[in-house]
Amino acid sequence: TVLVFDPPTHGAHTQENLSLEEIVEKIKEHHPRVFPFRNKEEGLNLIQKHTESDDIILLVTSGDLGGIIPEVPPLVEKLFPQKNKTVL
């Protein structure tokens, strides 16, 4: 599953930036399970709905993803509690 956050709009008119919809459509050409999100609540709901216990969550960004970053680990720990945690 791929989740894509709405890209920033500052400077978009001066460059040929893709819209959220265009990004999602490009990814769908190669991966059918892609979902856009525009705010923290949507992103957390998508993570809760589509994440499985053996998934890897990779956050790639140059920003704060709408504030979602610090809330992902506690959500995943709540969804998939482990008795013996290994921290790398």
Side-chain angles (χ1 to χ4, degrees):
T1 302
V2 177
L3 306 180
V4 181
F5 184 63
D6 196 13
T9 56
H10 62 276
H13 64 282
T14 62
Q15 303 173 23
E16 294 183 29
N17 292 355
L18 296 175
S19 69
L20 178 60
E21 293 76 17
E22 291 168 321
I23 294 168
V24 168
E25 288 307 312
K26 280 289 185 190
I27 295 170
K28 280 185 177 181
E29 291 175 8
H30 305 281
H31 193 293
R33 291 179 43 88
V34 58
F35 303 95
F37 69 100
R38 297 186 186 281
N39 59 55
K40 176 174 59 175
E41 291 74 24
E42 285 180 8
L44 293 172
N45 287 334
L46 287 169
I47 289 171
Q48 188 165 358
K49 183 176 179 181
H50 296 287
T51 303
E52 298 182 17
S53 63
D54 61 345
D55 285 349
I56 295 172
I57 296 176
L58 174 64
L59 303 172
V60 179
T61 182
S62 61
D64 71 351
L65 293 175
I68 196 173
I69 295 170
E71 298 197 30
V72 172
L75 173 61
V76 174
E77 288 175 357
K78 180 181 172 187
L79 293 173
F80 309 107
Q82 295 181 356
K83 293 179 182 175
N84 299 317
K85 294 183 184 180
T86 303
V87 178
L88 301 176

